[in-house]
Amino acid sequence: MLYVFLVILMLIAAVLMCFIVLIQNSKGGGLASSFSSSNQIMGVRKTTDFLEKTTWGLAIAMVVISIASAYVLPTTSGRSDAILEQAQKEESTNPYNMPIGTNAPAELPAAPADSNAAQ
């Protein structure tokens, strides 16, 4: 249950990170240059600082959530690998895996030599 919660938190953080990065401008203008009213309220520098701090905060949160989810990763108990089970089942039914001995099938006779190929 905790693992599912952490995965949902990671998805929310990733979506928010995408939006924050898309809002930013590579020159630092991004959100501040798009909305003139925000320039009057917060100022250009404060908007850029807020976006930068939010980006760093989301990045750190994603790293912490990733590490935490690795520790609470659900493990299979008592169940073996499905591929291994299938391989063992095929090995037990495959007639070519029979041991050499009294139960082994007789060897096939060698193919006759082609007399035209020798000429």
Side-chain angles (χ1 to χ4, degrees):
M1 185 69 179
L2 182 62
Y3 180 74
V4 174
F5 176 71
L6 290 175
V7 169
I8 292 171
L9 279 180
M10 178 61 82
L11 288 174
I12 292 171
V15 169
L16 288 175
M17 177 72 90
C18 290
F19 287 137
I20 293 294
V21 169
L22 288 174
I23 288 173
Q24 294 178 4
N25 188 3
S26 61
K27 303 291 184 197
L31 183 66
S33 65
S34 298
F35 302 107
S36 59
S37 62
S38 67
N39 288 343
Q40 295 171 356
I41 296 171
M42 293 179 11
V44 177
R45 185 67 186 150
K46 293 197 185 277
T47 304
T48 306
D49 286 344
F50 170 74
L51 291 175
E52 184 177 344
K53 287 179 184 180
T54 305
T55 304
W56 277 106
L58 284 172
I60 291 170
M62 289 174 70
V63 168
V64 169
I65 293 170
S66 297
I67 293 170
S69 65
Y71 282 110
V72 297
L73 183 68
T75 58
T76 58
S77 58
R79 291 179 25 192
S80 61
D81 192 13
I83 296 173
L84 181 61
E85 284 180 16
Q86 183 67 25
Q88 289 172 347
K89 190 184 302 181
E90 287 179 6
E91 182 180 317
S92 65
T93 61
N94 189 354
Y96 296 112
N97 287 336
M98 295 178 65
I100 298 176
T102 59
N103 295 336
E107 290 188 27
L108 296 173
D114 189 12
S115 60
N116 293 334
Q119 294 176 353

